[in-house]
Amino acid sequence: MNSTRNIVIVGGGFAGTTLARTLEDRLPDSHRVVLVSEESYTTFNPMLAEVVGASVFPEHVVAPIRQMLARSRFVMARVTEVDFARRTLSAATLAGPQTIHYEHLVFAFGTRANLALVPGLAEHALPLKLVGDALFIRNRVLQRIARIELESDPALRRCLGRFVVIGGGFSGVEVAGELADFLRSARRYYPRVQAAELQVTLLHDADRLLFELPASLGAAAAASLRGRGVDVRLLSRARCVDADAVTLENGERIATGTVICTIGSKPNPLVERLDLPLQRGRITTAPDMSVPAAEGVWAIGDCALIRNHAGDLHRPAQAGPAMPVSYAPPTAQFAVAEAHALAHNLVARITAQPTRPFAHVSRGMMATTGHLKGVAQVGGLRLSGLPAWLLWRAYYLLLMPTLGRKVRIWLEWTWGMFFAADITHLRFTRTHEADAPTPSPALVIPLPSAALPPSQP
Ligand SMILES: Cc1cc2nc3c(=O)[nH]c(=O)nc-3n(C[C@H](O)[C@H](O)[C@H](O)COP(=O)(O)OP(=O)(O)OC[C@H]3O[C@@H](n4cnc5c(N)ncnc54)[C@H](O)[C@@H]3O)c2cc1C
């Protein structure tokens, strides 16, 4: 791997894989793409809520990177250090540490979930950032319902049946809607659990949901969720979380055994070791997405702070510097747009042509609020209900790589419209654990605390 003509991309998410695929068709033969990512797959994060709600299997919201690439080299590894002077990076691979040389290096390694925003979040809340998180939450929900069946204390049953989602952004709204539908569908298989014992609460600290969308669509999302029985609480900020409750800023204590956290992100730990200029935890880039502090280095996706020059096209000449500068938001749509723009700039740099500043006009935004319901803004068009939900599904189906995957998801979605949600709780018990004297740790739930009365068997 000692080539000096490598374009090395770190991170196999939306940004990294789109860039690799786009470059494959455009690079001169003198160069090749090496994509380094710690997982062997790309996760379609916008579909994670569907895994929580059992609308799709976890395997179907990921796409194997090797199947997405035709000519590029893929290395499954975690990048640990970069030596900008020698133009090398160190990667922890399955075969031990390896050094990879680069001519151009692209950072596209995203961000991590931030569980330090509220005291107790790290210990007691379940983040939703990875496919493993989504599967864990789904299993936890099923454990909770199964345990309610076995408990007789009404307070404990209510606590176990209350699911609190923190954050009224896209993922919070989508998880709350999916969860409400999943609970309703699953309950019929748990005859000792009453509908009133299962409740989803969505906490949001602003006065409306989905701040990125017009106020009318935020209101439509809240109405849609409330129509499904979700307890939507606006202007409600969590002060602390513990094993059996969320305490709000106003002092109210909501007894709950499951808190799902969809707020906050923090820089990837790699960022701290790179010693590059950061703003708001993201790598500062020049207009063409190069990193001014390091020769041959570029950054895109959630880990980069990239100015969006689309607004400049319509900016009045006399506006001056007082006009607010707009930055690309950390969304899948912008990660993909940045990747396309960077592919152009990399080829331009290699062929000694001028690069272009990043400019992208948003095509719109959308969110689901549960089965058959959603909200969307596409250009000047505002949609809610079934049309928005269909549009959401069509868009993500189009984004899915390979025809085989598209067909599988489409079949699964169609199946889900006619049959009940899958309530299988996979325990991953292995043969040598099957006869262990104590139950699997996955079945032992840290509840209730001393605050709750003991339950009858
Ligand atoms: C639950 C959820 C729901 C979302 N819903 C939406 C939505 O509805 N619409 C929307 O537009 N956006 C949504 N987003 C945001 C969107 O997913 C991100 O903006 C997008 O994934 C960013 O792409 P990326 O390639 O920059 O980063 P990521 O997709 O996070 O990919 C980063 C990659 O880098 C790899 N990596 C990290 N560190 C290293 C390392 N040291 N070495 C090697 N590899 C590394 C990771 O394994 C990962 O593959 C959602 C996000 C989440 C978490």
Side-chain angles (χ1 to χ4, degrees), residues 3 5 36 99 101 119 134-136 159 169 172 249 269 275 306 317 322 325 349 351 364 386 406 432 439 443-444:
S3 166
R5 296 280 172 177
V36 186
T99 300
H101 293 257
L135 194 54
F136 188 89
C159 175
E249 284 291 358
D275 198 22
I306 299 169
V325 171
R349 180 64 62 84
T351 54
L386 184 63
K406 287 188 210 295
H432 66 274
L443 285 182
V444 181

Side-chain angles (χ1 to χ4, degrees), residues 235-274:
L235 298 170
S236 295
R237 182 186 283 258
R239 184 202 294 161
C240 67
V241 178
D242 50 56
D244 54 20
V246 174
T247 306
L248 304 184
E249 284 291 358
N250 65 9
E252 183 185 348
R253 193 169 180 279
I254 303 174
T256 173
T258 310
V259 178
I260 299 166
C261 172
T262 65
I263 53 167
S265 59
K266 66 175 182 186
N268 188 302
L270 179 58
V271 161
E272 281 143 34
R273 293 196 294 276
L274 293 178

Side-chain angles (χ1 to χ4, degrees), residues 222-358:
S224 170
L225 289 174
R226 286 186 176 125
R228 300 172 116 80
V230 177
D231 168 28
V232 178
R233 301 207 186 181
L234 302 175
L235 298 170
S236 295
R237 182 186 283 258
R239 184 202 294 161
C240 67
V241 178
D242 50 56
D244 54 20
V246 174
T247 306
L248 304 184
E249 284 291 358
N250 65 9
E252 183 185 348
R253 193 169 180 279
I254 303 174
T256 173
T258 310
V259 178
I260 299 166
C261 172
T262 65
I263 53 167
S265 59
K266 66 175 182 186
N268 188 302
L270 179 58
V271 161
E272 281 143 34
R273 293 196 294 276
L274 293 178
D275 198 22
L276 291 173
L278 304 178
Q279 263 188 71
R280 304 178 216 164
R282 299 165 77 185
I283 300 169
T284 315
T285 66
D288 63 358
M289 293 167 286
S290 60
V291 178
E295 185 64 26
V297 177
W298 312 73
I300 51 171
D302 284 9
C303 70
L305 188 71
I306 299 169
R307 186 169 160 195
N308 186 0
H309 291 75
D312 296 358
L313 304 175
H314 312 289
R315 187 185 292 248
Q318 69 278 18
M323 281 279 281
V325 171
S326 128
Y327 290 99
T331 64
Q333 183 191 144
F334 271 83
V336 168
E338 287 155 20
H340 284 296
L342 181 56
H344 172 277
N345 283 350
L346 276 166
V347 175
R349 180 64 62 84
I350 290 165
T351 54
Q353 302 295 314
T355 56
R356 291 198 297 233
F358 173 73

Side-chain angles (χ1 to χ4, degrees), residues 10-17 36-39 41-49 65 77-80 108-112 128-130 170-171 174-175 262 268-270 273 300-303 329-335 338 365-367 392 396:
V10 182
F14 279 101
T17 51
V36 186
S37 195
E38 56 189 350
E39 306 289 358
Y41 51 80
T42 292
T43 303
F44 276 62
N45 295 328
M47 291 172 73
L48 287 179
I65 293 174
R78 173 177 290 188
V79 172
T80 51
F109 46 66
T111 54
R112 300 283 201 218
L128 181 62
K129 180 84 178 156
L130 306 172
F170 285 97
S171 42
E174 289 176 354
V175 170
T262 65
N268 188 302
L270 179 58
R273 293 196 294 276
I300 51 171
D302 284 9
C303 70
T331 64
Q333 183 191 144
F334 271 83
E338 287 155 20
M365 289 187 152
M366 49 198 162
W392 188 97
Y396 285 107

